[in-house]
Amino acid sequence: MTHHDSDRDEAPSGQLPERRVAGMRWGWFGAGLVIAGVGAAGWGHVLRWSLVEEPSVGTNIGLLLAAGLLLVLLTALVRLARRPARPEGNLSPVSDAVASVRGRAGLAVLVVIPFALYGLVRLQRGFMGGLPEPGDVLFGLGMTFAAAGLAVLGRAAADLTGRSLTSLCAGLLTVAAVAQAGLLAAETLPVEATTAALPVEATTAASTMVPVAVTQGPSGVGPGPSKVSTGHAAPNPGPASVSKVAWQWRPPGDETVRQVVAAGGHVVVRTFDGVVAVDSVTGRERWHYRRPGAVTVEMVATPDGGMVAVEFGTVRGAQKVRARTVLLDAYTGEVGSEQAQELRSNAAFTSYGFVTADPDDGTVVGWGLPDTGEPVWSYRLPRGCHADSEQGTRSESWQVELRDVIALPVSCDRNVAVIALDPRNGDEVWRYERPRTDGKPDIEADPAEDGSALGLTFRDGDGTVTKEVVLAQEHGEDVGTVDSPAKVVQVFNADGYLTESDESGRATYRWESYGGGEPKTAELPALGGDLWKVRRLPLKDGLLVAQATIKADTVSIGTHMAGWGKTEPRSISIDMGYRQIVDFQPRALNLLPFSGTVVVAFNGGATVVGLA
């Protein structure tokens, strides 16, 4: 009786059995996956290297090792393709070359799989964070397909004879199609793939996001309404005094406090991958919005504290490579919108949209929420008015954002002026003008920290200060004149201003109301030091002064509360923890007044503190 080996089928001499030919076509499909996968991974590696970050030495060495093994595999494939079809006993004419390909494919798989897993992890983190990089997409998918193709080659080694080129092209097209789908998903899916968290303790405040009608602002001469009423809350004056630490809060995972703003009645803290709203009275978390895998770049709040805009980005050095901006309701943390773009530079952020101003042509443009790229309204300075610094106007940035209006310092014919616009529709709300002096007068416009007033400093042609006035932001009326010869104005608002004078190592502070009356005074040791390390906050019953001291890896903040009158100050020292300086956010000391507390924080510290 004759027994046939199950692994050997009858076939004409010099040809492979049909069953084996089918297997060889799968082998060529695997070869196509390997070739296209390696190409995609290499392209992705180059993109990350050139646009995002330089790879580690270990990554480069591993990739070179994988490339070497794939080169050895390619050599075995060439030998297999050129092997003459000569039977040798009971063995297939290409069996030894097939064994060589399988062995090399198995070894290459062991090297490529860790890179495939590394690429998939980066890809998953990118999608979770909403900022998947094209380089990560190509590298992760390319390495995955290369590993899959090597596994197929290990099971069915390829033969270049017959009709196997069809399978090769199928493998190439498969990788190309999936890579293209991955790149498309990187641009579309992240809008939905967020990790927004609901409030830990729900608040009752309603969302402040409001629709905006498309209108065309005025361009002619003439004042608008006498005042504006947008329903914004008045600035919080803070407690009457503070004397103790009421609470301390640390970011989750021992992260760094990168930035803080007052919004929604809370202190909103920007961390590495999101923002957390902390109750200003209890120090407990109210809500958070975090995106694992993403990195926050910047955070801004509207003047009324109703909304917070958070920019997530990919940063290389001092350059932002990619960005995504999320608008959040500051009371609840609810997502209002999300867009694949960065925050508008040099733009005022209001509850009705962004406002940009171009001093070169005198145009102001309002952009809605969400920012679709289409203007909602536009405004052009009246004829005869311009924002040319050489013609007598100067400001840190041309437009000045106040609580309810956008103020524009300008020069109009023979007057210097301030024009205030309604951010809802671009209507002119009020205008303040005064005659120009001889020469080229200069006007400096500075907002009060609480947005309640606009301080104007007028200088004549040689730089001498001729007048300092304060305008109420809601109607533009002159609420008072700052009279501070030989003194430095530290803080001002719509009610009064704080001056400081140093004598014999003591600092004397005076709070003077525009309406007159006896000034309030407080004395403290002279602090000195850099301006960004000191903050002053006038309260009802006294003055709170804080100073940051940086030593090696720690930041400590000393706070001094002096009552109005001749009283000894009460001092509290606070250890802010590890100091870490981050890109796009300068070191800064923050004093934020809330109802019942004052929140102390340092950009780069490890804790936020509430004083009561």
Side-chain angles (χ1 to χ4, degrees):
M1 182 179 293
T2 304
H3 298 277
H4 295 280
D5 190 341
S6 60
D7 291 333
R8 296 172 59 194
D9 295 328
E10 298 296 330
S13 177
Q15 299 183 15
L16 295 174
E18 186 61 29
R19 183 177 63 82
R20 299 288 297 276
V21 171
M24 298 311 162
R25 290 170 183 160
W26 276 108
W28 265 114
F29 179 77
L33 294 181
V34 173
I35 294 172
V38 170
W43 184 15
H45 186 62
V46 171
L47 284 178
R48 282 202 59 82
W49 196 339
S50 60
L51 296 179
V52 183
E53 63 183 4
E54 294 185 6
S56 65
V57 176
T59 301
N60 286 330
I61 292 176
L63 289 175
L64 289 175
L65 178 60
L69 288 175
L70 292 176
L71 182 62
V72 173
L73 176 63
L74 180 61
T75 303
L77 282 172
V78 172
R79 288 182 59 204
L80 176 62
R82 299 182 61 184
R83 188 71 176 242
R86 293 199 304 267
E88 297 181 10
N90 294 330
L91 297 177
S92 169
V94 292
S95 60
D96 56 343
V98 168
S100 175
V101 169
R102 287 176 174 172
R104 287 163 172 77
L107 185 59
V109 166
L110 295 178
V111 177
V112 172
I113 282 180
F115 287 100
L117 294 176
Y118 168 78
L120 289 177
V121 169
R122 290 196 66 101
L123 186 60
Q124 184 257 356
R125 290 184 60 191
F127 274 97
M128 285 187 63
L131 290 168
E133 292 290 337
D136 285 338
V137 173
L138 292 173
F139 185 84
L141 294 179
M143 279 297 180
T144 301
F145 276 111
L150 289 169
V152 172
L153 280 175
R155 296 288 297 173
D159 183 1
L160 291 179
T161 61
R163 303 175 181 177
S164 300
L165 285 178
T166 302
S167 298
L168 173 68
C169 293
L172 295 173
L173 292 176
T174 298
V175 177
V178 175
Q180 184 62 39
L183 292 175
L184 181 61
E187 296 297 329
T188 57
L189 291 184
V191 175
E192 303 296 335
T194 64
T195 55
L198 294 176
V200 176
E201 296 178 3
T203 58
T204 58
S207 172
T208 59
M209 299 185 182
V210 295
V212 182
V214 178
T215 60
Q216 181 73 22
S219 59
V221 181
S226 60
K227 62 180 179 179
V228 62
S229 176
T230 61
H232 292 178
N236 198 316
S241 179
V242 295
S243 60
K244 63 180 181 179
V245 173
W247 53 263
Q248 281 188 290
W249 178 87
R250 289 182 176 273
D254 294 328
E255 291 186 8
T256 301
V257 175
R258 299 196 166 198
Q259 187 183 2
V260 296
V261 296
H266 321 302
V267 53
V268 182
V269 184
R270 179 168 73 87
T271 62
F272 180 81
D273 62 359
V275 294
V276 181
V278 179
D279 190 291
S280 61
V281 177
T282 65
R284 299 175 61 185
E285 179 183 321
R286 302 293 292 193
W287 57 261
H288 68 263
Y289 181 90
R290 305 184 69 186
R291 305 179 73 141
V295 179
T296 60
V297 176
E298 189 176 358
M299 172 178 65
V300 294
T302 56
D304 68 336
M307 280 191 296
V308 174
V310 186
E311 180 183 334
F312 295 85
T314 302
V315 181
R316 182 183 183 186
Q319 180 181 4
K320 283 183 284 188
V321 180
R322 298 191 70 193
R324 185 171 292 277
T325 298
V326 181
L327 299 182
L328 303 173
D329 186 302
Y331 293 95
T332 65
E334 179 184 355
V335 178
S337 67
E338 177 179 352
Q339 293 176 287
Q341 63 187 39
E342 61 184 284
L343 287 169
R344 285 189 176 271
S345 59
N346 299 322
F349 177 44
T350 76
S351 295
Y352 311 100
F354 294 90
V355 179
T356 57
D358 186 352
D360 294 331
D361 59 9
T363 58
V364 185
V365 179
W367 312 87
L369 292 178
D371 185 357
T372 62
E374 293 295 328
V376 173
W377 55 263
S378 63
Y379 172 92
R380 184 178 293 276
L381 289 179
R383 180 176 298 178
C385 296
H386 51 267
D388 186 346
S389 62
E390 292 190 359
Q391 294 297 322
T393 64
R394 182 172 70 84
S395 175
E396 177 113 11
S397 59
W398 182 34
Q399 77 273 21
V400 181
E401 185 176 12
L402 301 175
R403 196 171 70 242
D404 296 322
V405 298
I406 303 297
L408 307 172
V410 297
S411 176
C412 296
D413 297 326
R414 300 189 62 82
N415 295 334
V416 287
V418 176
I419 298 175
L421 303 181
D422 189 334
R424 296 173 296 184
N425 49 30
D427 287 343
E428 186 174 318
V429 178
W430 52 261
R431 188 185 303 187
Y432 173 88
E433 296 186 74
R434 60 178 288 111
R436 297 174 60 181
T437 58
D438 295 335
K440 295 181 178 180
D442 194 15
I443 176 175
E444 298 179 30
D446 299 297
E449 290 187 4
D450 61 5
S452 64
L454 181 69
L456 301 179
T457 301
F458 297 93
R459 301 178 185 273
D460 59 18
D462 61 3
T464 303
V465 175
T466 58
K467 192 176 183 61
E468 292 181 285
V469 301
V470 177
L471 308 180
Q473 66 91 31
E474 64 268 23
H475 45 64
E477 294 180 3
D478 185 347
V479 296
T481 300
V482 176
D483 182 18
S484 58
K487 301 173 186 174
V488 178
V489 177
Q490 300 292 357
V491 180
F492 75 93
N493 56 31
D495 298 321
Y497 58 95
L498 180 73
T499 63
E500 176 185 359
S501 59
D502 295 340
E503 295 179 5
S504 303
R506 301 285 293 179
T508 300
Y509 295 93
R510 291 168 60 92
W511 176 260
E512 304 197 39
S513 299
Y514 303 120
E518 188 68 22
K520 299 177 180 179
T521 62
E523 286 192 2
L524 287 168
L527 299 178
D530 298 329
L531 293 178
W532 61 268
K533 295 180 181 178
V534 180
R535 289 291 182 270
R536 302 162 182 86
L537 179 63
L539 300 175
K540 179 182 178 181
D541 293 342
L543 175 68
L544 177 63
V545 179
Q547 182 178 33
T549 303
I550 302 174
K551 293 182 179 179
D553 293 338
T554 63
V555 173
S556 62
I557 295 179
T559 63
H560 310 279
M561 180 70 207
W564 300 121
K566 301 292 184 178
T567 62
E568 287 297 319
R570 298 185 299 270
S571 299
I572 302 175
S573 181
I574 307 170
D575 182 6
M576 304 304 291
Y578 177 71
R579 178 174 67 96
Q580 180 180 348
I581 306 304
V582 295
D583 293 331
F584 295 102
Q585 186 57 50
R587 295 171 293 178
L589 171 60
N590 302 273
L591 283 182
L592 304 179
F594 292 91
S595 179
T597 58
V598 174
V599 174
V600 183
F602 186 85
N603 296 350
T607 186
V608 179
V609 176
L611 302 180

